[in-house]
Amino acid sequence: MLDFTLEDLSAEDVERLRLVYQPLAESVRALVDATIRTEVDAGTVAAAKAEIDSATARLCHKQTDGSFGVRYLATGERMAWGNAVIGIRNPLAPPMQIHRDESGSSVCDFHLGAAYEGPPDHVHGGVAALVLDHLLGEAASDGINPRLTGTINFRYVRATRLGDLHAEARITRTEGVKTYAVGHLADAKGVTVEAEGVFIQPRWARESSE
Amino acid sequence: MLDFTLEDLSAEDVERLRLVYQPLAESVRALVDATIRTEVDAGTVAAAKAEIDSATARLCHKQTDGSFGVRYLATGERMAWGNAVIGIRNPLAPPMQIHRDESGSSVCDFHLGAAYEGPPDHVHGGVAALVLDHLLGEAASDGINPRLTGTINFRYVRATRLGDLHAEARITRTEGVKTYAVGHLADAKGVTVEAEGVFIQPRWARESSE
């Protein structure tokens, strides 16, 4: 069974932790971009690397065993801060901030830079799949009980330009433990990738919610 | 049209650049993991952040305009060092090292840690899609002319444990500009995600190879 830890943290505790760790991840995101795009000489790279290794050593002094996981708060809030798409503590995550609009769709405006490249100046097709898989999964979920991807299909209309992007997803129907969702990714010129998927409430989540 | 730059670099030039920039990206990968998993106090985080910001400033002193792109060498080698899956200069990339086996399949053994998490202790479903999209695309390609994803479908057999993973893909048939490929991701207990896709040689690549 997957381990969703219940943490005894107040809203104030969470905000305090956010103020410590979110700016750190933002700094690392800027460093990731700089690492890809830098053209400085070997000596400067060595000096930067020494600082990076020193920072890593400081952070490793005390750390969680294994990955971050998903922590449920007493308030019902879900802390997925290590998540590869929405994790505010995960420098790999853009991170996407997903909202529900009036119609019930899950929508997100976000930016993808050099770190998400596939074809030159364009979003990696697999990154488009990554963000859409997450967004459709969120749309298919009630926000508390997770629904995991059963099957998902992507159709690439054209290449997606790196930059400011928009994505949205919505449920089309639910049958028992299966929820069907559709969505798309768009750049400034319109839709670039379409997705449809079936999301399933895992057995352990059904048991735990009984 | 996408811009695949032809660079006048010798094999020795490439090796020299690799020795400078690859260890930098490796250091940043370790920092990404530490950033997610650290439990040090606010003062220690602030000290680490100051070093990170200093390193970023050094690297930004001279940098390429925009993303890394894909650079073709006079030798025919393709330098996709900024790629989100295989880029040795991209700290977001595991990076996957893909090989062709005797049967013509594209295969890869790689490790995914805390940065690739979705469900607790497990690979994000979208990350599985990301790596498989890339691997099937490589299998469908001849190594020189790119083939981009047209459609791709994923079936999730069960959750993929974070850790050492294996993936493979192969062409099933080719019809004109369309190449059909299948593949899967596996953890220590067997296949976790199956994929099938259609990959298309883009018009500009057809024109440029005429």
Side-chain angles (χ1 to χ4, degrees):
Chain A
M1 190 187 138
L2 306 179
D3 175 35
F4 289 85
T5 311
L6 181 64
E7 303 264 332
D8 189 21
L9 293 173
S10 68
E12 290 71 27
D13 291 334
V14 172
E15 185 55 22
R16 184 179 49 76
L17 291 172
R18 186 193 304 268
L19 287 173
V20 173
Y21 296 111
Q22 186 169 22
L24 173 65
E26 281 167 9
S27 279
V28 179
R29 283 188 197 101
L31 175 63
V32 165
D33 187 81
T35 296
I36 296 167
R37 297 172 57 209
T38 190
E39 294 182 334
V40 296
D41 61 30
T44 308
V45 168
K49 185 178 181 301
E51 288 175 313
I52 294 162
D53 291 341
S54 168
T56 303
R58 289 181 196 272
L59 298 175
C60 287
H61 189 67
K62 186 181 172 197
Q63 58 182 3
T64 188
D65 197 25
S67 53
F68 188 86
V70 176
R71 305 176 192 183
Y72 279 86
L73 308 181
T75 59
E77 195 189 350
R78 196 175 49 156
M79 255 173 87
W81 286 4
N83 186 282
V85 174
I86 61 167
I88 61 169
R89 277 190 58 172
N90 186 339
L92 267 59
M96 287 176 77
Q97 289 187 295
I98 299 169
H99 307 279
R100 296 259 174 172
D101 70 11
E102 320 77 57
S103 71
S105 290
S106 293
V107 300
C108 183
D109 291 289
F110 59 110
H111 182 90
L112 295 182
Y116 302 93
E117 190 176 50
D121 301 324
H122 289 75
V123 176
H124 193 293
V127 170
L130 167 64
V131 299
L132 283 171
D133 170 77
H134 191 96
L135 189 67
L136 269 69
E138 284 277 338
S141 163
D142 58 9
I144 301 295
N145 295 302
R147 288 202 174 84
L148 304 182
T149 316
T151 59
I152 192 163
N153 306 328
F154 300 97
R155 191 171 78 88
Y156 292 80
V157 180
R158 60 179 175 76
T160 307
R161 192 98 194 164
L162 288 172
D164 291 330
L165 302 172
H166 173 81
E168 51 184 80
R170 62 186 171 81
I171 292 175
T172 53
R173 69 181 195 279
T174 298
E175 292 173 6
V177 297
K178 291 186 179 179
T179 300
Y180 296 76
V182 298
H184 67 253
L185 176 65
D187 63 13
K189 292 182 180 172
V191 173
T192 58
V193 186
E194 296 171 339
E196 55 180 5
V198 182
F199 296 82
I200 299 172
Q201 192 173 7
R203 191 171 294 116
W204 54 263
R206 287 172 238 165
E207 286 163 356
S208 69
S209 65
E210 276 167 12
Chain B
M1 190 187 138
L2 305 180
D3 175 33
F4 288 88
T5 312
L6 181 64
E7 302 266 331
D8 190 20
L9 293 173
S10 68
E12 290 73 27
D13 291 334
V14 172
E15 185 55 21
R16 183 178 50 74
L17 290 171
R18 185 192 305 268
L19 287 173
V20 173
Y21 296 111
Q22 187 169 23
L24 173 66
E26 282 166 10
S27 279
V28 179
R29 282 188 197 101
L31 175 63
V32 165
D33 187 81
T35 296
I36 297 167
R37 298 171 56 209
T38 190
E39 294 182 334
V40 296
D41 61 31
T44 309
V45 168
K49 184 178 182 302
E51 288 175 311
I52 294 162
D53 291 342
S54 169
T56 302
R58 289 181 197 272
L59 297 175
C60 288
H61 190 66
K62 187 182 172 196
Q63 60 182 1
T64 189
D65 197 26
S67 53
F68 189 85
V70 176
R71 304 174 192 186
Y72 279 86
L73 308 181
T75 59
E77 196 190 348
R78 194 176 49 157
M79 254 171 87
W81 286 5
N83 186 282
V85 175
I86 59 167
I88 60 169
R89 277 190 57 172
N90 186 341
L92 266 60
M96 288 176 75
Q97 289 186 295
I98 299 169
H99 306 280
R100 296 258 175 173
D101 70 11
E102 320 77 57
S103 71
S105 289
S106 292
V107 300
C108 183
D109 292 290
F110 59 110
H111 182 90
L112 294 183
Y116 302 94
E117 190 176 50
D121 301 324
H122 288 75
V123 176
H124 193 294
V127 169
L130 168 63
V131 299
L132 283 170
D133 170 77
H134 192 96
L135 188 67
L136 269 69
E138 284 277 338
S141 163
D142 57 9
I144 302 294
N145 294 302
R147 287 203 176 84
L148 304 183
T149 315
T151 61
I152 191 163
N153 305 329
F154 300 96
R155 191 171 79 88
Y156 292 80
V157 180
R158 59 179 175 78
T160 308
R161 193 101 194 160
L162 287 173
D164 291 331
L165 301 172
H166 173 80
E168 51 185 81
R170 63 186 171 81
I171 292 175
T172 52
R173 69 182 195 280
T174 298
E175 292 174 4
V177 296
K178 291 186 179 178
T179 300
Y180 295 77
V182 298
H184 67 254
L185 176 65
D187 63 14
K189 293 183 179 172
V191 172
T192 58
V193 186
E194 297 171 338
E196 56 179 4
V198 183
F199 296 83
I200 299 171
Q201 192 173 8
R203 191 170 293 115
W204 53 264
R206 288 173 237 165
E207 286 163 355
S208 68
S209 64
E210 276 168 6

